[in-house]
Amino acid sequence: MKVAVFGGSGYLGELVAERCDSRGHQVVALSRNPGRGTWEHRRCDLTAPGLGMDENTREVVAESDVCVFAAGSVSWQATSTESLQIHDRGIAALLRLVESAKRAPRIVHVSSILALGEPEKPVTSDQLYVGQRFRNWYEYGKYVAEHRVRHSNTQHNIVRFGPLLGVGYDRTVPSTGDGLPAIFPLVLAGYPLPLTDGGRYPCYVGDVFGAAELVADMVEWTAHGRTITWFDPENPSLLEILSRVCLPFGKYPRVLKADVKRGEWLLRMAMRRIGTDSNLADYAHPWIEVHCGADLENAGAARCRKDYIQAMSAAMAGQVWPARIEARSVHA
């Protein structure tokens, strides 16, 4: 099949392109920056007029069998203009391009568990709007993008991921500029972290390799509007995640047990004082409850590798983690 991967040079997108290429698909990676794989690369910019594509590239997309929407890096500090340029107007322009093709490609849309914002009740994969509030423009942008895909005249399936960790294509690791990984430098530097219940609550992380494998599976599925939420079935707590990150560095996280909800304003002020994103305070307490056990069963082919968090941390430290990252079933 011909597969167009938008965001094909990103942490997840580049690995998706590699997984699809390894399965024998004809892959075209589209992004603002050239990728590193041997597959075809073309320029695309969701914030530019005409998506920054030349006419030949538009034809390549229109002739694809499947389009993977995986563009847009995580940025909690994005303004409304920056976020909506990509996740609203950019996605809308992509959908118009797909819908105008003579034989419209199927779509695999990579969404985020953050598209659910902060609801007041448990949420399942069948839901999107549940009266939730959104803590930053990135969350709202992901919500708008998924809403547009859901209500488009396309054949599509949607997958939501939580924070993705692990070692990606060519030993890449996630950026520590935003989201959960932004906490890692603070922990490794020895900063004490006040966390509700000492961080003993889940953050729905997943292995980027398993996530890419699942997207490659979905490329080969029949599209009928499914929405899947996928994460590590072990569902480690934030404390467990931070402990595994610290392990290759020979450290242990300094966690303070506190009711962060009551003093969240004080924590945000302290984070601003040390020069980090105050939005990280959102990880200092439980923020969502997701009910999606059936999703993990339906996505049984996708796996998380053993020690993927420690392997990522070792790569961050310039080390080679012992070869204990063989795949394991999500049902293990």
Side-chain angles (χ1 to χ4, degrees):
M1 288 191 296
K2 296 180 180 179
V3 182
V5 181
F6 291 89
S9 64
Y11 176 55
L12 173 62
E14 197 164 33
L15 194 50
V16 168
E18 188 276 332
R19 291 287 80 203
C20 290
D21 180 71
S22 71
R23 297 185 181 201
H25 300 308
Q26 183 179 336
V27 177
V28 179
L30 300 106
S31 64
R32 287 179 290 185
N33 303 306
R36 295 167 292 176
T38 57
W39 45 89
E40 185 178 357
H41 300 269
R42 289 180 176 267
R43 178 171 171 74
C44 172
D45 183 352
L46 268 62
T47 66
L51 298 172
M53 297 182 188
D54 56 35
E55 192 58 37
N56 184 256
T57 300
R58 297 175 73 88
E59 291 178 3
V60 168
V61 172
E63 293 171 358
S64 298
D65 297 298
V66 182
C67 290
V68 177
F69 291 0
S73 59
V74 176
S75 179
W76 284 10
Q77 301 178 61
T79 64
S80 59
T81 300
E82 293 168 337
S83 184
L84 295 179
Q85 266 189 328
I86 296 174
H87 302 295
D88 184 14
R89 293 184 286 276
I91 292 296
L94 275 182
L95 289 170
R96 287 195 297 270
L97 177 60
V98 169
E99 291 170 349
S100 66
K102 291 183 179 179
R103 184 177 58 85
R106 290 183 287 111
I107 292 173
V108 177
H109 177 61
V110 178
S111 186
S112 168
I113 204 169
L114 294 176
L116 298 172
E118 190 174 37
E120 296 181 354
K121 59 182 179 181
V123 182
T124 68
S125 282
D126 294 331
Q127 297 174 303
L128 180 58
Y129 181 69
V130 290
Q132 67 268 48
R133 72 180 184 93
F134 299 95
R135 291 158 294 190
N136 52 66
W137 283 105
Y138 173 78
E139 286 188 352
Y140 182 67
K142 296 301 289 187
Y143 165 83
V144 172
E146 184 174 324
H147 183 272
R148 282 197 174 276
V149 173
R150 278 175 170 239
H151 293 85
S152 65
N153 295 318
T154 63
Q155 295 183 338
H156 62 266
N157 287 320
I158 298 169
V159 59
R160 294 181 185 141
F161 296 122
L164 293 179
L165 307 177
V167 180
Y169 180 74
D170 200 22
R171 291 189 58 77
T172 56
V173 295
S175 167
T176 56
D178 281 284
L180 178 61
I183 298 177
F184 300 161
L186 301 178
V187 173
L188 294 172
Y191 283 98
L193 286 180
L195 303 176
T196 298
D197 195 28
R200 292 175 176 82
Y201 47 83
C203 291
Y204 307 106
V205 297
D207 172 24
V208 69
F209 189 92
E213 197 70 42
L214 175 57
V215 173
D217 286 345
M218 295 177 72
V219 163
E220 299 170 353
W221 291 357
T222 300
H224 45 66
R226 288 177 63 183
T227 300
I228 289 177
T229 303
W230 184 89
F231 50 85
D232 186 342
E234 288 188 357
N235 207 5
S237 68
L238 177 58
L239 178 60
E240 291 172 318
I241 294 165
L242 297 180
S243 299
R244 295 178 193 180
V245 167
C246 287
L247 184 60
F249 288 87
K251 298 184 177 184
Y252 194 79
R254 296 178 62 193
V255 173
L256 306 178
K257 189 174 181 179
D259 185 354
V260 176
K261 268 291 190 182
R262 290 174 179 249
E264 187 172 337
W265 66 272
L266 186 60
L267 178 58
R268 289 180 182 273
M269 183 182 298
M271 286 182 161
R272 283 193 292 268
R273 290 290 295 272
I274 63 176
T276 190
D277 183 7
S278 62
N279 285 322
L280 294 179
D282 286 326
Y283 273 105
H285 53 78
W287 47 272
I288 197 171
E289 185 177 347
V290 181
H291 288 179
C292 56
D295 296 338
L296 297 179
E297 294 173 6
N298 293 334
R303 304 166 186 267
C304 287
R305 295 178 293 180
K306 285 186 178 179
D307 299 342
Y308 66 96
I309 298 175
Q310 297 95 311
M312 172 201 67
S313 181
M316 291 167 58
Q319 305 170 11
V320 177
W321 189 249
R324 293 182 292 171
I325 56 174
E326 66 275 14
R328 66 167 173 79
S329 168
V330 296
H331 305 298

